[in-house]
Structures are given as structure tokens and as C-alpha cells.
């Protein structure tokens, strides 16, 4: 892979996007590499969580405008479908994904972060969906995910204005859940990842699928889904160990 650095550190998967000459802008190859890298991490049977971050001053500064400027409508449709599919594959993955937004997360870059389960940002990060300033709209899920995550008011403000927002503003509206000093970002992300990694693998995958599923269905069918997922975790080795360990006043061995 040319643009992705993949490592497993202290039992946590780390993917670093590295195309610094274009501020990590997403072209087809980079999108495909992100998809492949996540698939490879999924094969690590002990892994439960991975971190996604960017090298240099950007997380990702958006889709590659130089490449897009030459696209026909047909090519744009294929490009949009590729980005949507790759980011949706994070949602459908059993692995928990954490975006560490180290710098610019604009357009497709913010959409990439929105596809992750959790987002932390450096206080130097700038976030936004500036596509309207290019005569476009977000094409990798931004109109849908930001509206679902923060409501249509926030999505409308961010998308119609095309402005960049600070990490603190992103925190206020719930786009990110923690802001830290740049030098502490990886540490904070690793702390969270290690906490997640210490939990039950089946329980995490079940909780993730149930939370994600809640967006597309009524509260009643969501409750039914939760009941089924909750009860199916009983009488398993993992929950026997988890509840047994609590009752025996020891740490579970997952
Ligand atoms: N695509 C292609 N190249 C990009 C890029 C992008 N999205 N963002 C930055 N670059 C390139 C620049 O062209 C520049 O290349 P050269 O050195 O060869 O000129 C290099 O990265 C460094 O960028 P700047 O000199 O512009 O850096 P800066 O610090 O002055 O500005 C910035 C940083 C504010 C992020 C600015 O680069 C910028 O506005 N980038 C574009 C952001 C944007 O509009 N993103 C949305 C893209 S559309 C999209 O994502 C569609 C979708 O939803 C699918």
C-alpha cells in the first residue's frame, strides 16, 4: 500500500493516511487502500478496535479536487459510490473505529471521520464540509451522516456555509467527543482504544451493530433488535466469564 501505514501497537490497529504532498486528499487509490487496510485488520482475530489518523498537518483535506475536476457525471457517480462503500464498510465491520483528527478534516476527510464510530480531535484541527464552495455537495455520506449525528440544523449550517469550524465548535455540536492538545491526541486515542480492547469481543460487535441499526428503524423495532442481541449474548463463554469475574471480584479474561 502506497498511502497507508498499517501497524499494530500494544494490541491496537493503527492506520495512518500518508499522502502529505496533497494534504492526504482522497483519490481512488487511497480510498481503495483504506478499504483494503480495514479488511486486513479484520483478519486479526484478537483485534477489536483500530485508530485512523493522518500524517502531517491534515487528517484528510477532502476528495482529490485535481482528479475530480476531470470527472464526467458517470465517473463522479462511481467515485461517490466508492467513497460511500468504503466508509460504510467501517460501520458494517465488527471492529470499533476511532478517528483521531490531527488537522484539516474537510469534505471527504470529515466524511471519512463521520464513518468512524468515535472521533477525537486536536485543538488545532479544522473541520468542515466546504463542497458548496466548489459548486458541489458532500458525496461520501456527509449529508446523511452529519444530519443523523447532529440534526439537520447543524448539517445545514455546516454544509450551506462551507465554513471551517474549530475543534471546540465540533465538540459543542457532538461531531467529536474529545479535544486535546496535539501532542496528547494519540495518547488519548490509545487510552480509549485500550479500554475498548479490554472488553468482550462479541459484546462489542453486538453493541456496535445494535447502535448502528438504531438509525434506520423505529424505536419499537430498535428495542426488539436490542432485546434479541442482548439475550443472544447469554449462555456464551464470554458473558459467563464477564459476569463470573465480577461476582468473583476479579478482572475478566476476554
Ligand atoms: N485535493 C487535491 N489537492 C489538495 C487538496 C484536495 N482536496 N487539498 C489540498 N491539496 C493540495 C494543494 O493543492 C497543495 O498542492 P500544491 O502544493 O501542489 O499546490 C497542497 O495540497 C497543500 O495545500 P495548500 O497549499 O492549499 O495548503 P494550505 O495550508 O494553504 O491550505 C487547506 C490548506 C485550507 C486545507 C486547503 O488546501 C484547502 O482548502 N483544500 C481543499 C479543501 C476542500 O475543498 N475539500 C473538499 C474537497 S471536495 C470533496 O471532498 C467532495 C466529496 O465530498 C466527495
Amino acid at each position: 500500500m502506497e498511502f497507508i501505514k498499517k501497524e499494530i501497537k500494544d494490541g491496537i490497529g493503527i492506520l495512518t493516511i500518508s499522502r502529505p504532498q496533497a494534504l492526504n486528499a482522497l483519490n481512488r487509490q487511497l480510498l481503495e487502500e483504506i478499504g483494503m487496510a480495514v479488511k486486513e485488520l479484520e483478519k486479526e482475530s484478537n483485534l477489536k478496535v483500530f485508530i485512523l489518523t493522518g500524517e502531517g498537518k491534515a487528517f484528510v483535506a477532502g476528495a482529490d479536487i485535481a482528479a475530480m475536476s476531470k470527472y464526467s457525471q458517470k465517473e463522479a457517480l462511481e467515485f461517490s459510490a466508492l467513497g460511500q462503500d468504503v466508509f460504510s464498510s467501517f460501520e458494517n465491520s465488527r471492529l470499533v473505529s476511532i478517528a483521531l483528527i490531527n488537522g484539516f478534516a474537510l469534505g471527504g476527510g470529515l466524511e471519512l471521520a463521520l464513518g468512524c464510530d468515535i472521533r477525537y480531535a486536536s485543538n488545532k484541527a479544522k473541520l468542515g464540509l466546504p463542497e458548496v464552495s466548489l459548486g458541489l455537495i458532500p458525496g461520501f455520506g456527509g449529508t446523511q451522516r452529519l444530519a443523523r449525528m447532529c440534526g439537520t440544523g447543524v448539517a445545514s449550517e455546516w454544509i450551506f456555509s462551507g465554513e471551517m469550524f474549530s475543534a471546540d465548535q465540533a465538540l459543542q455540536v457532538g461531531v467529536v467527543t474529545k479535544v486535546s492538545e496535539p501532542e496528547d491526541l494519540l495518547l488519548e486515542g490509545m487510552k480509549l482504544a485500550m479500554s475498548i480492547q479490554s472488553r468482550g469481543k462479541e459484546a462489542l460487535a453486538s453493541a456496535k451493530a445494535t447502535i448502528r441499526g438504531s438509525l434506520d428503524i423505529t424505536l419499537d423495532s430498535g428495542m426488539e433488535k436490542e432485546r434479541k442481541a442482548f439475550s443472544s449474548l447469554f449462555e456464551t463463554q464470554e458473558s459467563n466469564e464477564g459476569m463470573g469475574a465480577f461476582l468473583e471480584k476479579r478482572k475478566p479474561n476476554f
Side-chain angles (χ1 to χ4, degrees):
M1 277 186 275
E2 188 183 350
F3 300 129
I4 302 284
K5 294 180 179 159
K6 178 167 76 77
E7 60 176 317
I8 297 189
K9 190 170 170 239
D10 299 332
I12 307 298
I14 304 182
L15 300 180
T16 306
I17 300 175
S18 175
R19 196 190 168 211
Q21 69 279 13
L23 300 188
N24 302 332
L26 301 167
N27 58 16
R28 288 192 143 274
Q29 182 183 339
L30 179 41
L31 284 169
E32 279 162 6
E33 287 187 11
I34 294 171
M36 275 186 310
V38 173
K39 287 216 162 58
E40 282 177 18
L41 288 179
E42 280 170 344
K43 288 187 198 140
E44 302 282 337
S45 59
N46 292 327
L47 198 74
K48 300 171 195 163
V49 52
F50 72 91
I51 281 172
L52 183 65
T53 194
E55 192 170 284
K57 69 177 181 180
F59 174 70
V60 166
D64 188 323
I65 301 169
M68 278 194 312
S69 66
K70 302 187 188 82
Y71 282 170
S72 64
Q73 289 192 357
K74 181 171 174 287
E75 286 166 324
L77 189 65
E78 285 163 6
F79 188 56
S80 174
L82 173 64
Q84 288 182 349
D85 286 351
V86 170
F87 302 172
S88 292
S89 74
F90 297 176
E91 289 181 347
N92 301 329
S93 172
R94 69 171 176 83
L95 298 176
V96 175
S97 44
I98 303 172
L100 295 185
I101 303 175
N102 51 298
F104 293 111
L106 301 173
L110 179 57
E111 294 173 288
L112 169 61
L114 293 174
C116 293
D117 294 302
I118 303 167
R119 286 152 296 284
Y120 281 4
S122 139
N123 59 17
K124 295 278 183 311
K126 293 270 182 237
L127 303 87
L129 291 169
E131 285 87 346
V132 289
S133 62
L134 301 167
L136 300 174
I137 67 165
F140 293 161
T143 59
Q144 303 305 301
R145 290 204 173 91
L146 189 59
R148 281 167 169 74
M149 198 175 286
C150 306
T152 51
V154 171
S156 301
E157 182 191 5
W158 281 44
I159 294 171
F160 298 165
S161 74
E163 294 291 343
M164 284 195 238
F165 295 84
S166 69
D168 280 334
Q169 286 172 305
L171 182 67
Q172 274 169 20
V173 296
V175 169
V176 303
T177 51
K178 186 172 257 188
V179 175
S180 67
E181 293 293 331
E183 59 276 18
D184 296 335
L185 184 64
L186 184 58
L187 191 75
E188 292 294 342
M190 284 298 281
K191 262 201 276 180
L192 173 67
M194 285 170 107
S195 160
I196 293 168
Q197 181 68 28
S198 73
R199 311 304 181 196
K201 181 176 165 183
E202 288 166 33
L204 285 171
S206 173
K208 173 166 169 166
T210 312
I211 293 170
R212 288 293 193 184
S214 70
L215 294 173
D216 302 327
I217 49 181
T218 63
L219 183 61
D220 277 350
S221 29
M223 293 295 191
E224 188 187 341
K225 238 181 164 176
E226 185 186 81
R227 270 195 311 276
K228 284 188 181 150
F230 173 76
S231 55
S232 72
L233 290 168
F234 282 71
E235 299 179 71
T236 63
Q237 201 189 348
E238 190 175 285
S239 67
N240 286 343
E241 170 61 14
M243 290 190 277
F246 176 82
L247 294 173
E248 290 160 23
K249 302 192 184 305
R250 61 175 174 83
K251 276 195 154 191
N253 183 17
F254 287 134

